[in-house]
């Protein structure tokens, strides 16, 4: 956890939950875990305010609590930074669900994300009433159930029911309940919609978005795109089926490599589902191709069932994050620098003179770039001292350049945090700086909307609209464009962040 | 004593030795020319050695005589002994050249004398001084008619101690173009993925042929030179190097597995001063000029 990351979390929390929440989150972030009274003391907020903030953050699964080590009756709160960072990805989640389940799916996801966790009936009702009512309530229900079946939504753990009242509830859930669809009664939902009060059958089960499942899709997408870019569309399709087969018997987040998949299994799956004739004809060739590729997506481990293969996630993400690092170096320091970086990587340890020979770069330029890379901490120096010498004559030592991948990934993660922080704080600055204008235009919009409903004359509306002068309008357009660019930048940076996070996940023990 | 040996004998002896370029032993000469007396033989050999026509070699305990390479044996005529010694030392250095310090150590001459001799020899066009690419101040001496070794000149990539980076860049691009052409041609044939992959692989020989036919290089390049160029293409991440079963390498153009990462599409990803960036001070996201230029 770096300072960068803490600052980023702070601005995200501030953006979504306001300043009080930011104060609490900052404290939680800097101190690991704290109890309520110390939070109240340190934030200068009232107890009610802090409790409110904590309750909201807990609802959004950003904060967890557990009994204090010293006193079992006092809960201590701690913040989950990964969850906070995930909030930046909300637009991507919604987009993904839109491609999978259409508008209905995306509104359901949006609603769940907005409320943190919610009962199924509430979510469906809210979506139904806020949407333009093109879809029936049954469509919402079916999509919800389907999303649960596909593991995109997950049931929240509930407090354990005990006989005596407890001070700190323990949240738990049985494994088989996690993805069991809720009982939804359409009739009762309709009644609620029309204003009557009834009991819904699923009032006690809360749902949230299953981020792991979505991340799994993102991760698979990165890999399939890589296969497609290197070996073409058919190979990518083949790889998709290989992944599908893998999920049949492997936990999606298993580290290192998966359980073995046989050629026959993949073949059967493709014959059943695919209509890509070219792929079917050359399936064995495509699998060999993918296995032979130097990124090492899959590895052959035996001959059973026409050939046994394992998927090597760790290796893939090691390679891909390396490629990403190289790309960043190319953009930052030019292609010669990335050539030098690759030379060092392939040779592991190498001397300055050999670098310029291998990379075919003039010695002056090579030195400049190598030292620049060293300065920016993309490469490191290992010094090997020759024994002896004993002070007589110059001490002879060798300076070998080398690469520490984990360190680079950590550094680039930090850089991504900072870039995200910059994008968010810049965009909130733009908003703040032009607050008067934005407010004015929003007010105008609502007035115009109301006037249109009342059916006032076009001329009058045009007159009202003119209160926003052309220069003001111009500035407003500019600011809007800036904010839009910045938010798309946030998503772009998050892409890189995700890749490096995957690398860290697979390299953590 | 030498005068006592008739020229005929000397010629006969020379012919015998010349017949065996690897050198002959004393016994061999005795067998070939049994009519020669020991005294005559020694006299003739001495004469030849004095004239600098023969080299005296030692293999184990046995002495061998060998004719000096006529090219090499342009020993300075009318040179004094010191010059001869220096010349021989330089000759030993071959086309790698020899540093002036080493000459001094080997010859035991003092600096001024040695400088004079070297200058003399240079003026007579018997030796030349060559600058090494590795250390531009370091001069090495070698015989005038020799081509300097690659380690001295740096091979095809150097012109007067300057690395020709444009030339290397052009070759790099052409090699890549050739690999890509091969790949595209292979793709069009649609013979199944493995065959396509195999056909898009090129050996160094193929590339060498292509580059020589292109005629972009004034200097003749050999396959080793092109191998170094191809390696730079690999280090650019635009090709991969595959080892075949017989231990040789082939090259193949490949695409990057990832699109340009998102972070470099924002100014912060390529910002040179991101280390100084914070919420206060000179560099902040609010006053940042890079961000401002990018947003407008």
């Amino acid at each position: 956890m770096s300072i960068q990351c803490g600052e980023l979390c702070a601005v995200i929390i501030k953006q979504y939950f306001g300043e009080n929440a930011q104060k609490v989150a900052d404290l939680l972030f800097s101190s690991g875990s704290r109890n309520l009274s110390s939070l109240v003391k340190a934030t200068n907020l009232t107890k009610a305010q802090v409790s409110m903030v904590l309750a909201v953050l807990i609802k959004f699964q950003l904060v967890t609590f557990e009994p204090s080590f010293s006193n079992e009756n006092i809960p201590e709160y701690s913040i989950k930074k990964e969850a906070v960072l995930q909030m930046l990805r909300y637009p991507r989640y919604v987009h993904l669900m839109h491609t999978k389940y259409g508008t209905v799916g995306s509104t359901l996801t949006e609603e769940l994300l907005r409320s943190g966790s919610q009962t199924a009936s509430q979510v469906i009702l809210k979506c139904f009433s806020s949407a333009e009512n093109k879809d029936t309530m049954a469509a919402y229900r079916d999509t919800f159930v389907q999303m649960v079946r596909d593991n995109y939504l997950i049931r929240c753990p509930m407090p354990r029911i005990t006989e005596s009242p407890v001070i700190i509830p323990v949240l738990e859930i049985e494994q088989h309940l996690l993805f069991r669809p809720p009982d939804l009664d359409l009739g009762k939902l309709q009644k609620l919609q029309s204003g009557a009060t009834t009991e819904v059958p699923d009032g006690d089960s809360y749902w949230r978005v299953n981020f792991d499942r979505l991340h799994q899709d993102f991760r698979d997408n990165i890999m399939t795109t890589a296969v497609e870019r290197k070996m073409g569309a058919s190979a990518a399709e083949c790889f998709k089926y290989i992944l599908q087969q893998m999920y049949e018997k492997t936990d999606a987040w298993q580290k290192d490599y998966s359980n073995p998949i046989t050629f026959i299994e993949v073949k059967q799956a493709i014959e059943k589902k695919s209509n890509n004739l070219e792929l079917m004809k050359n399936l064995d060739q495509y699998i060999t191709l993918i296995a032979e590729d130097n990124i090492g997506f899959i590895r052959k481990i035996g001959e059973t069932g026409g050939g046994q293969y394992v998927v090597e996630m760790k290796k893939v993400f090691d390679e891909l994050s390396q490629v990403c690092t190289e790309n960043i170096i190319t953009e930052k320091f030019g292609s010669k620098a990335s050539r030098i970086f690759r030379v060092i990587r392939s040779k592991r340890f190498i001397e300055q003179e050999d670098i310029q020979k291998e990379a075919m770069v003039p010695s002056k330029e090579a030195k400049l770039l190598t030292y620049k890379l060293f300065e920016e901490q993309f490469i490191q120096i290992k010094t090997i001292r020759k024994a002896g010498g004993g002070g007589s004559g110059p001490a002879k030592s060798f300076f070998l350049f080398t690469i520490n991948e984990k360190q680079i990934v950590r550094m680039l993660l930090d850089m991504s945090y900072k870039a995200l922080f910059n994008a968010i704080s810049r965009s909130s600055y733009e908003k703040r700086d032009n607050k008067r204008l934005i407010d004015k235009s929003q007010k105008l919009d609502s007035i115009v909307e109301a006037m249109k409903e009342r059916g006032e004359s076009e001329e009058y509306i045009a007159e009202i609209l003119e209160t926003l002068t052309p220069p003001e309008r111009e500035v407003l357009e500019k600011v809007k464009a800036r904010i839009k660019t910045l938010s798309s930048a946030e998503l772009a940076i998050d892409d890189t962040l995700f890749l490096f996070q995957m690398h860290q996940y697979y390299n953590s023990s | 004593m030498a005068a006592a040996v008739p020229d005929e004998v000397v010629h006969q002896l020379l012919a015998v030795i010349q017949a065996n370029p690897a050198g002959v032993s004393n016994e061999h000469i005795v067998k070939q020319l049994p009519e020669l007396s020991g005294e005559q033989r020694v006299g003739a050999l001495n004469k030849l050695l004095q004239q600098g026509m023969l080299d005296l070699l030692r293999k184990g305990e046995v002495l061998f005589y060998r004719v000096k390479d006529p090219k090499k044996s342009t020993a300075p005529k009318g040179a004094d002994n010191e010059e001869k010694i220096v010349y021989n030392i330089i000759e030993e250095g071959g086309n790698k050249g020899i540093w002036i310090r080493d000459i001094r150590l080997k010859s035991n001459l003092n600096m001024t004398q040695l400088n004079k001799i070297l200058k003399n020899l240079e003026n007579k066009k018997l030796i030349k001084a060559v600058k090494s690419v590795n250390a531009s101040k370091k001069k090495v001496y070698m015989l005038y008619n020799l081509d300097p070794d690659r380690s001295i000149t740096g091979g095809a990539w150097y012109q007067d101690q300057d690395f020709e980076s444009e030339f290397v860049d052009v070759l790099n691009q052409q090699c890549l173009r050739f690999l890509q052409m091969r790949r595209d041609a292979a793709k069009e044939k649609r013979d199944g993925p493995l065959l396509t992959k195999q056909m898009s692989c090129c050996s160094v020989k193929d590339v060498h042929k292509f580059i020589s036919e292109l005629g972009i290089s004034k200097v003749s390049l050999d396959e080793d030179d092109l191998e170094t160029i191809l390696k730079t293409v690999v280090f650019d991440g635009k090709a991969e190097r595959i080892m075949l079963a017989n231990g040789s390498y082939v090259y193949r153009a490949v695409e990057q597995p990832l699109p340009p990462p998102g972070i470099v599409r924002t100014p912060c990803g390529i910002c040179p001063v991101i280390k100084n960036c914070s919420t206060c001070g000179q560099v902040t996201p609010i006053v940042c000029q890079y961000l401002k230029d990018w947003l407008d």
Side-chain angles (χ1 to χ4, degrees):
Chain A
M1 282 204 264
S2 67
I3 299 171
Q4 272 334 309
C5 184
E7 282 182 354
L8 176 60
C9 287
V11 288
I12 296 173
I13 296 268
K14 189 180 173 189
Q15 210 181 21
Y16 282 84
F17 304 108
E19 265 182 43
N20 287 352
Q22 188 207 345
K23 275 183 197 165
V24 175
D26 269 354
L27 275 176
L28 288 179
F29 196 88
S30 58
S31 54
S33 67
R34 276 194 177 208
N35 56 29
L36 182 61
S37 60
S38 88
L39 280 173
V40 171
K41 220 179 277 170
T43 49
N44 269 339
L45 299 169
T46 63
K47 197 173 175 186
Q49 279 172 317
V50 177
S51 313
M52 184 67 192
V53 165
L54 285 175
V56 171
L57 293 181
I58 289 170
K59 192 173 184 228
F60 278 81
Q61 292 106 37
L62 302 178
V63 165
T64 55
F65 56 88
E66 58 183 3
S68 156
F69 187 71
S70 52
N71 184 347
E72 276 188 11
N73 291 328
I74 298 176
E76 275 190 351
Y77 302 91
S78 50
I79 197 160
K80 293 196 288 184
K81 66 156 186 160
E82 297 86 10
V84 178
L85 293 178
Q86 274 165 20
M87 299 187 73
L88 290 174
R89 244 167 248 159
Y90 281 3
R92 274 174 81 193
Y93 298 144
V94 175
H95 179 75
L96 180 71
M97 296 323 275
H98 187 86
T99 49
K100 291 222 164 205
Y101 300 103
T103 340
V104 179
S106 67
T107 26
L108 282 171
T109 318
E110 224 179 326
E111 186 51 44
L112 257 183
L113 288 174
R114 198 180 292 144
S115 48
S117 49
Q118 191 57 275
T119 62
S121 316
Q122 282 295 326
V123 174
I124 292 174
L125 270 183
K126 211 156 186 195
C127 292
F128 185 70
S129 51
S130 62
E132 274 103 52
N133 280 345
K134 268 178 247 158
D135 304 288
T136 62
M137 199 173 272
Y140 278 102
R141 185 199 56 183
D142 294 344
T143 315
F144 194 94
V145 170
Q146 190 54 45
M147 280 161 81
V148 172
R149 286 222 172 93
D150 293 346
N151 295 3
Y152 285 105
L153 304 180
I154 189 169
R155 197 185 287 254
C156 296
M158 296 305 286
R160 187 194 290 165
I161 299 156
T162 47
E163 280 160 21
S164 57
V166 282
I167 297 170
I168 304 164
V170 180
L171 300 178
E172 61 177 10
I173 187 162
E174 283 180 45
Q175 203 66 31
H176 70 274
L177 283 174
L178 278 175
F179 300 111
R180 203 174 77 186
D183 299 322
L184 290 168
D185 190 328
L186 271 186
K188 283 185 177 166
L189 281 177
Q190 294 283 11
K191 249 189 220 167
L192 271 178
Q193 170 68 17
S194 55
T197 46
T198 57
E199 280 281 304
V200 280
D202 69 322
D204 61 340
S205 58
Y206 283 78
W207 295 87
R208 62 183 175 89
V209 176
N210 186 5
F211 297 113
D212 277 353
R213 179 72 181 80
L214 287 155
H215 289 167
Q216 185 191 328
D217 275 14
F218 290 155
R219 180 194 66 188
D220 293 353
N221 191 23
I222 291 180
M223 291 198 288
T224 352
T225 320
V227 174
E228 180 165 359
R229 284 177 73 99
K230 282 200 92 171
M231 291 163 264
S234 299
E237 197 183 337
C238 172
F239 188 65
K240 236 183 243 170
Y241 285 106
I242 293 177
L243 283 180
Q244 266 176 27
Q245 283 307 309
M246 181 192 94
Y247 290 134
E248 301 272 309
K249 38 179 139 175
T250 312
D251 176 50
W253 293 97
Q254 185 163 319
K255 283 178 185 173
D256 292 339
Y257 43 81
S258 71
N259 299 338
I261 312 150
T262 61
F263 173 73
I264 302 283
E265 285 167 346
V266 179
K267 192 173 181 188
Q268 280 164 355
I270 289 179
E271 273 168 0
K272 236 182 264 172
K273 293 176 197 157
S274 170
N275 48 10
N276 184 343
L277 283 174
E278 201 243 333
L279 172 59
M280 264 181 252
K281 201 176 88 189
N282 297 319
L283 183 64
D284 51 337
Q285 294 195 19
Y286 273 115
I287 290 185
T288 325
L289 192 70
I290 297 174
E292 272 178 5
D293 190 83
N294 55 5
I295 287 188
F297 294 96
I298 55 176
R299 183 161 56 95
K300 191 166 188 176
I301 56 159
E303 294 293 344
T304 327
Q308 259 185 322
Y309 296 89
V310 290
V311 181
E312 290 191 290
M313 298 279 185
K314 179 176 182 296
K315 189 148 181 277
V316 173
F317 279 95
D318 277 357
E319 284 289 331
L320 290 182
S321 64
Q322 198 62 36
V323 171
C324 187
T325 312
E326 287 161 6
N327 275 339
I328 291 174
I329 291 176
T330 314
E331 299 295 329
K332 260 184 115 133
F333 312 106
S335 57
K336 291 269 163 66
S338 67
R339 190 190 286 174
I340 288 175
F341 185 76
R342 285 195 188 89
V343 169
I344 299 173
R345 188 184 175 218
S346 71
K347 302 275 173 200
R348 305 287 290 275
F349 292 97
I350 186 167
E351 270 191 290
Q352 172 66 51
E353 270 189 22
D354 294 333
I355 291 179
Q356 61 214 39
K357 262 183 218 154
E358 284 288 334
M360 302 288 283
V361 178
S363 72
K364 210 175 166 189
E365 199 185 343
K367 274 183 191 142
L368 188 80
L369 291 171
T370 318
Y371 299 158
K372 186 87 197 156
L373 285 174
F374 177 65
E375 191 192 346
E376 301 273 338
Q377 295 169 18
F378 282 98
I379 53 180
Q380 261 124 22
I381 289 182
K382 168 120 182 140
T383 317
I384 294 177
R385 291 191 197 288
K386 217 172 181 182
S392 61
K396 174 108 174 134
S397 30
F398 300 94
F399 297 99
L400 302 176
F401 289 93
T402 182
I403 286 171
N404 182 346
E405 287 165 20
K406 282 186 189 171
Q407 187 267 339
I408 293 175
V409 167
R410 273 199 296 276
M411 181 185 72
L412 290 175
L413 266 177
D414 244 21
M415 196 171 94
S416 315
Y417 293 147
K418 191 173 247 176
L420 277 171
F421 173 79
N422 286 353
I424 293 173
S425 46
R426 178 79 191 202
S427 119
S428 60
Y429 163 78
E430 295 283 347
K431 280 179 203 155
R432 207 168 52 233
D433 212 31
N434 300 288
K435 194 168 189 304
R436 192 190 64 84
L437 266 181
I438 295 172
D439 284 353
K440 191 178 172 185
S441 91
Q442 271 169 358
K443 219 182 270 172
L444 266 182
D445 284 348
S446 61
I447 292 175
V448 169
E449 196 76 8
M451 282 167 72
K452 270 184 188 159
E453 269 177 28
R454 269 180 279 153
E456 308 229 2
S457 70
E458 287 284 317
E459 281 168 37
Y460 193 50
I461 291 177
E463 208 172 287
I464 294 287
L465 274 178
E466 263 168 32
T467 35
L468 202 66
T469 58
E472 278 180 331
R473 200 169 286 275
E474 201 173 300
V475 173
L476 195 69
E477 287 303 316
K478 223 180 209 173
V479 171
K480 272 188 186 160
R482 281 180 187 179
I483 292 172
K484 206 176 158 194
T485 329
L486 283 169
S487 50
S488 65
E490 273 172 40
L491 284 181
I493 300 168
D494 185 63
D495 252 356
T496 316
L497 191 68
F498 183 76
L499 181 66
F500 287 132
Q501 278 175 344
M502 282 296 110
H503 176 269
Q504 280 206 322
Y505 170 79
Y506 283 108
N507 277 290
S508 63
S509 46
Chain B
M1 199 168 63
V5 184
D7 278 355
E8 279 170 50
V9 179
V10 175
H11 282 303
Q12 260 179 341
L13 188 67
L14 192 62
V16 171
I17 300 175
Q18 260 170 350
N20 295 289
V24 289
S25 63
N26 205 19
E27 280 173 38
H28 188 83
I29 299 174
V30 175
K31 249 187 234 164
Q32 291 283 318
L33 302 167
E35 70 275 9
L36 240 61
S37 71
E39 207 173 283
Q40 267 181 328
R41 196 169 63 235
V42 171
L45 280 172
N46 271 340
K47 198 174 181 184
L48 282 170
L49 280 170
Q50 222 165 30
Q51 282 172 353
M53 305 276 273
L54 289 185
D55 269 339
L56 200 55
L57 302 162
R58 203 162 127 181
K59 207 184 244 174
E61 289 291 293
V62 194
L63 286 176
F64 277 84
Y65 304 95
R66 191 176 67 184
V67 182
K68 266 193 187 173
D69 197 335
K71 268 189 206 158
K72 281 185 188 168
S73 66
T74 46
K77 271 173 201 150
D80 56 22
N81 275 340
E82 281 91 358
E83 279 184 18
K84 261 188 202 164
I85 289 167
V86 172
Y87 181 88
N88 283 333
I89 292 171
I90 293 174
E91 193 177 7
E92 272 170 33
N95 64 352
K96 288 226 165 119
I98 186 161
W99 195 19
I100 189 159
R101 212 182 120 95
D102 295 333
I103 304 179
R104 207 178 70 203
L105 284 177
K106 278 194 182 172
S107 63
N108 259 339
L109 293 165
N110 65 33
M111 200 62 205
T112 32
Q113 206 182 358
L114 181 59
N115 268 338
K116 213 168 142 194
I117 294 167
L118 285 172
K119 210 169 220 174
N120 249 336
L121 289 172
E122 254 184 287
N123 282 341
K124 286 182 193 160
K125 298 214 161 165
L126 289 168
I127 61 166
K128 62 183 171 185
V130 179
K131 274 185 194 159
S132 163
V133 285
N134 292 324
S136 57
K137 290 259 172 72
K138 189 173 161 185
K139 260 201 249 177
V140 295
Y141 289 91
M142 64 181 69
L143 295 192
Y144 192 78
N145 51 8
L146 289 181
D147 283 329
D149 187 75
R150 232 180 222 203
S151 59
I152 305 296
T153 59
W157 319 118
Y158 286 84
Q159 175 106 48
D160 305 332
Q161 284 88 53
D162 286 329
F163 184 80
E164 286 196 87
S165 54
E166 284 97 6
F167 180 48
V168 172
D169 287 346
V170 167
L171 278 177
N172 174 302
Q173 279 160 20
Q174 290 303 328
C175 287
L176 178 62
R177 192 169 72 97
F178 177 68
L179 294 182
Q180 281 170 344
M181 268 162 37
R182 279 285 284 260
R183 184 191 59 190
D184 294 343
K187 258 188 196 164
E188 269 170 26
K189 286 201 174 157
R190 299 177 177 284
D191 287 336
L194 273 188
L195 210 61
T196 310
K197 184 182 174 184
Q198 246 168 44
M199 276 164 55
S200 61
C201 291
C202 312
S203 67
V204 181
K205 214 176 246 173
D206 300 333
V207 183
H208 183 243
K209 202 174 153 220
F210 171 77
I211 297 287
S212 341
E213 277 170 10
L214 216 57
I216 42 173
S217 162
K218 277 171 277 169
V219 231
S220 69
L221 298 168
D222 59 19
E223 287 180 13
D224 284 348
D225 291 332
L226 276 171
E227 180 119 34
T228 21
I229 293 287
L230 279 168
K231 270 190 197 163
T232 66
V233 181
V234 174
F235 287 134
D236 280 342
K238 288 168 181 158
E240 56 184 27
R241 190 166 185 237
I242 303 164
M243 197 171 93
L244 296 181
N246 60 11
S248 64
Y249 287 97
V250 287
Y251 295 83
R252 185 169 88 93
V254 286
E255 284 295 325
Q256 285 272 324
L258 286 176
I263 190 163
V264 297
R265 278 180 267 150
T266 67
C268 292
I270 48 172
C271 180
V273 288
I274 194 160
K275 271 192 187 152
N276 305 341
C277 185
S278 67
T279 43
C280 56
Q282 298 268 304
V283 190
T284 73
I286 311 298
V287 297
C288 179
Q289 189 65 35
Y290 294 111
L291 267 178
K292 201 176 163 207
D293 293 346
W294 181 63
L295 286 171
D296 288 331

